Amino acid sequence: MFKGTGASPGIAIGRALVYQEQELNIKKESVEGLEKELDKFQSSIKKSKVQLEYVKQEAMKKLGADKASIFEAHIMVLDDPELINQVKDKITNEKVSAEYAVNEVINSFITLFEGMDNEYMKERAADIRDVGNRILKNLLNVEIINLATLTDEVILVANDLTPSDTATMNKEKVLGFITNIGGRTSHTAIMAKSLEVPAIVGLKSITDEVKSGDLLIFDGGEGFGHINPDEQLLADFREKKQQYEFIRKELEKLKSEPSVSKDGRRVELGANIGTPKDVKGVLDNGGEGIGLYRTEFLYMNRDHMPSEEEQYEAYKEVLQKMEEKPVIIRTLDIGGDKELPYLNLPKELNPFLGYRAIRICLDQPEIFKVQLRALLRASVYGNLKIMYPMISSVEEVRAANEILQEVRGELDQKGIEYSKEIEVGIMVEIPATVVIGDMLIKEVDFFSIGTNDLIQYTTAVDRMNEKISHLYEPFHPAILRMIKMVIDHAHGGGKWAGMCGEMAGDPKIVPILLGLGLDEFSMSPISILQARKIIRGLSYSEMKKIAEKALNFPTAAEVKKFVAEEIDKIS
């Protein structure tokens, strides 16, 4: 049995695909049959070209021409006569194997490009490396895994999945994820919930224990599973899967019901999304809005910034699909664990505390203004709200609003239409922001609490580090008190407060959040119906009393025990 952190609920049964880069062991060896080596090299070039043509076509269909152009550049590398001739010369003159010759020539090209002053040319080294690895794998008959072209249903087993992996994979074929690293709020966990596939993270060495093709069964909610189970275990999990699907169907009956407590307090249950395609999941699960649209996915997995037009089309699509329902779009939140190679962000010792999110946008307003123009233009198609991430001071809000005002002025001058009713808010995810919330609320229309980072920064716990994941505690008394402060500051200013961190969808905490007066909950789409069921079964006045008392317990364990007992009494 394997046991980790349950990151996304559901029962998964399927064959494993172990996804990790295999180290290629290439040694210099003299060879006799030079013609054979030259033929091997030509065949590997031909095979690589066929593979890349296929990947390009798939990327074109699923991701659009822009992203597909990356693979066009890779194909051009395969046609480069300089590269081809250098490899052939090395094989012939030095009487070495094709793989050794390719490795040597590719490495010399990489060194050449990395040493250039021009940043764009430096970045081409990554393309050369990718193409070189493909040629070498084809020479050595090493299997090449491309998540964009999955054709069979699989359970992905990986050390971790990067945002690029999840953005390009064929999501129709992924039954679940299990990974060595990560916590409940890691990118992998968030993406698994967004895709509505079961996931377990933080399994430490699962990639060493599982082989591609092994049969896996696991419970993503409980966080445990088995490799190549016996018939009895397999039958038990099949039954469990049926039960889980039955409960999901029962919850679907609440899809069109309002999110209102027994004594009439109405709240809004929205969803977090990463791409326009995710809107279907929101509507299928009865979402009443989008509380967080993470726009950074538009900027990732490509070699240049998305144009204003591309952004406009993406925002417009989401707003149109959601009709009049509110859509909170977060401005660019890059940095930390989300890198943009083409932006040349400096390597930092503490990237989560560094040059990221609104800090980049204010420092490089030419990037920010493109996004704001796209947002404003799209605003006529729905109920748009704009949210700034990583705000830590009043000055930052004022500076961001000044740029927004400049963009409005530019659109006015050109006679371009946009909504005049857009609410502008901030993500509250830094302790300093909580403390000065009474001042910040005067500058904005709403707060949305980003608990993933707020917990991390408040308790000084790296949420990606499984060794200390037990210290990452949403029930920590300091976190609950901060949430109350944020809500009180918002209500004191006559505004509303929502939450878009993973905590908003945790069934154990939803009663406290209701009692603290939270107005809007935004979560993974898959969590919405369960949260609605909980809220419809509770009394706001009773939850208010329980939440007030919960704030006075000194430990998270005591808070949990108290809340569980009180909920048991009234349910």
Side-chain angles (χ1 to χ4, degrees):
M1 187 176 92
F2 55 83
K3 180 94 179 73
T5 302
S8 178
I11 309 298
I13 301 173
R15 295 286 168 186
L17 174 64
V18 180
Y19 177 62
Q20 60 182 344
E21 283 297 315
Q22 188 172 336
E23 196 173 333
L24 303 176
N25 187 16
I26 298 165
K27 293 177 183 170
K28 184 176 184 181
E29 290 173 356
S30 297
V31 293
E32 294 300 326
L34 297 183
E35 282 304 316
K36 187 181 166 192
E37 293 304 310
L38 290 168
D39 287 347
K40 262 173 59 183
F41 172 58
Q42 288 294 7
S43 297
S44 69
I45 292 288
K46 197 173 169 184
K47 192 172 176 184
S48 300
K49 209 176 281 184
V50 171
Q51 290 167 345
L52 282 172
E53 282 289 354
Y54 179 71
V55 172
K56 189 183 87 173
Q57 293 305 322
E58 288 298 302
M60 185 85 79
K61 280 189 274 182
K62 292 170 187 161
L63 306 167
D66 234 41
K67 290 180 182 172
S69 66
I70 295 169
F71 301 109
E72 183 63 45
H74 285 197
I75 292 168
M76 286 169 68
V77 173
L78 291 171
D79 287 328
D80 184 349
E82 190 69 21
L83 185 144
I84 302 289
N85 291 334
Q86 281 198 32
V87 172
K88 284 182 177 176
D89 288 347
K90 203 169 240 327
I91 292 172
T92 309
N93 299 335
E94 298 183 25
K95 297 184 173 50
V96 292
S97 66
E99 50 267 27
Y100 180 78
V102 169
N103 196 43
E104 288 289 297
V105 172
I106 288 292
N107 283 339
S108 69
F109 272 61
I110 291 170
T111 305
L112 177 71
F113 277 86
E114 285 180 339
M116 291 182 177
D117 291 333
N118 183 302
E119 287 302 320
Y120 177 82
M121 295 308 287
K122 269 186 181 177
E123 288 162 17
R124 302 287 66 78
D127 293 326
I128 303 285
R129 186 177 288 110
D130 275 359
V131 176
N133 279 336
R134 181 175 291 278
I135 302 170
L136 287 171
K137 284 177 179 173
N138 283 327
L139 277 168
L140 297 166
N141 289 319
V142 173
E143 184 185 4
I144 298 172
I145 299 172
N146 189 320
L147 296 182
T149 57
L150 291 174
T151 53
D152 298 323
E153 290 188 335
V154 295
I155 292 174
L156 284 179
V157 183
N159 182 53
D160 194 16
L161 292 169
T162 66
S164 296
D165 292 332
T166 48
T168 56
M169 71 171 62
N170 181 353
K171 294 164 186 171
E172 304 298 319
K173 300 295 181 185
V174 179
L175 301 172
F177 303 151
I178 52 176
T179 60
N180 289 340
I181 65 171
R184 227 176 270 278
T185 60
S186 63
H187 172 77
T188 302
I190 291 169
M191 286 306 296
K193 280 185 183 171
S194 175
L195 296 171
E196 300 188 21
V197 297
I200 303 177
V201 296
L203 285 160
K204 296 186 173 67
S205 58
I206 196 68
T207 49
D208 295 333
E209 295 163 36
V210 175
K211 297 191 296 295
S212 286
D214 280 346
L215 179 62
L216 298 179
I217 54 174
F218 72 83
D219 182 329
E222 298 295 325
F224 73 92
H226 301 269
I227 305 165
N228 294 323
D230 61 29
E231 284 302 317
Q232 186 57 52
L233 264 175
L234 185 59
D236 291 346
F237 263 75
R238 283 183 176 140
E239 189 180 336
K240 233 177 153 178
K241 188 174 171 66
Q242 283 181 344
Q243 286 172 350
Y244 179 79
E245 285 165 359
F246 173 77
I247 291 169
R248 288 298 304 167
K249 280 189 180 167
E250 285 297 297
L251 286 173
E252 281 175 17
K253 294 175 183 172
L254 297 175
K255 189 175 158 183
S256 303
E257 298 295 327
S259 306
V260 59
S261 69
K262 286 199 293 189
D263 53 350
R265 175 163 173 82
R266 179 88 184 239
V267 296
E268 184 182 297
L269 294 187
N272 302 335
I273 66 166
T275 73
K277 288 181 183 171
D278 298 337
V279 174
K280 183 177 183 304
V282 179
L283 297 174
D284 287 348
N285 284 285
E288 295 161 316
I290 288 174
L292 173 63
Y293 176 6
R294 301 181 177 97
T295 56
E296 53 271 23
F297 288 103
L298 269 169
Y299 293 72
M300 298 166 80
N301 195 43
R302 55 193 299 151
D303 61 1
H304 58 277
M305 283 279 175
S307 67
E308 180 184 324
E309 208 56 28
E310 278 177 88
Q311 296 189 56
Y312 162 74
E313 290 296 336
Y315 307 149
K316 176 184 165 185
E317 184 179 344
V318 172
L319 288 162
Q320 283 181 319
K321 285 180 175 173
M322 291 301 291
E323 298 179 338
E324 291 305 309
K325 293 184 176 73
V327 175
I328 300 177
I329 299 185
R330 179 174 71 185
T331 55
L332 183 59
D333 184 17
I334 211 72
D337 60 341
K338 292 169 282 193
E339 295 182 4
L340 292 186
Y342 57 84
L343 203 54
N344 293 319
L345 295 176
K347 293 290 176 195
E348 299 177 323
L349 284 176
N350 293 303
F352 280 96
L353 302 181
Y355 186 63
R356 54 174 293 207
I358 196 69
R359 296 167 184 181
I360 294 176
C361 290
L362 295 180
D363 188 50
Q364 301 190 50
E366 66 279 8
I367 294 174
F368 196 29
K369 287 177 83 169
V370 170
Q371 183 174 39
L372 292 175
R373 269 197 303 274
L375 283 167
L376 290 179
R377 287 173 54 207
S379 66
V380 295
Y381 294 97
N383 183 0
L384 170 69
K385 300 174 196 297
I386 295 174
M387 178 163 70
Y388 307 135
M390 198 72 187
I391 290 290
S392 62
S393 69
V394 168
E395 291 95 321
E396 284 172 335
V397 181
R398 288 178 179 166
N401 277 338
E402 274 179 27
I403 295 173
L404 178 62
Q405 199 51 40
E406 277 178 37
V407 175
R408 284 185 174 126
E410 290 167 8
L411 293 181
D412 286 336
Q413 279 187 345
K414 293 178 181 173
I416 297 174
E417 194 183 358
Y418 62 91
S419 170
K420 303 292 191 291
E421 307 297 327
I422 302 168
E423 288 187 13
V424 177
I426 59 168
M427 236 174 133
V428 180
E429 51 192 334
I430 298 174
T433 316
V434 177
V435 175
I436 61 168
D438 55 333
M439 291 176 266
L440 282 163
I441 198 65
K442 294 172 185 169
E443 311 286 332
V444 296
D445 300 306
F446 67 90
F447 286 157
S448 183
I449 309 169
T451 50
N452 300 354
D453 275 342
L454 182 62
I455 296 170
Q456 173 168 261
Y457 296 142
T458 303
T459 57
V461 173
D462 176 358
R463 61 191 169 96
M464 304 295 286
N465 186 337
E466 67 273 12
K467 286 186 180 175
I468 53 170
S469 60
H470 61 287
L471 298 175
Y472 185 88
E473 179 53 79
F475 277 93
H476 193 297
I479 301 301
L480 298 182
R481 290 183 180 204
M482 282 193 168
I483 291 169
K484 180 169 168 37
M485 283 176 71
V486 176
I487 295 170
D488 287 348
H489 285 318
H491 290 176
K495 314 286 176 64
W496 59 272
M499 180 180 288
C500 56
E502 285 301 299
M503 191 171 164
D506 185 336
K508 297 189 293 297
I509 303 180
V510 165
I512 299 184
L513 298 178
L514 178 71
L516 290 174
L518 194 71
D519 303 290
E520 180 245 21
F521 300 62
S522 188
M523 59 197 72
S524 299
I526 198 172
S527 303
I528 292 173
L529 293 174
Q530 188 181 25
R532 182 167 296 151
K533 185 181 179 190
I534 293 168
I535 288 167
R536 288 173 62 83
L538 296 172
S539 156
Y540 171 56
S541 57
E542 286 177 351
M543 287 308 104
K544 208 170 166 183
K545 290 175 194 165
I546 291 172
E548 285 293 338
K549 285 183 185 171
L551 293 172
N552 293 310
F553 286 96
T555 69
E558 287 170 274
V559 175
K560 284 180 193 172
K561 184 169 177 289
F562 167 72
V563 174
E565 288 173 352
E566 292 300 307
I567 299 294
D568 276 349
K569 284 183 201 169
I570 59 176
S571 56

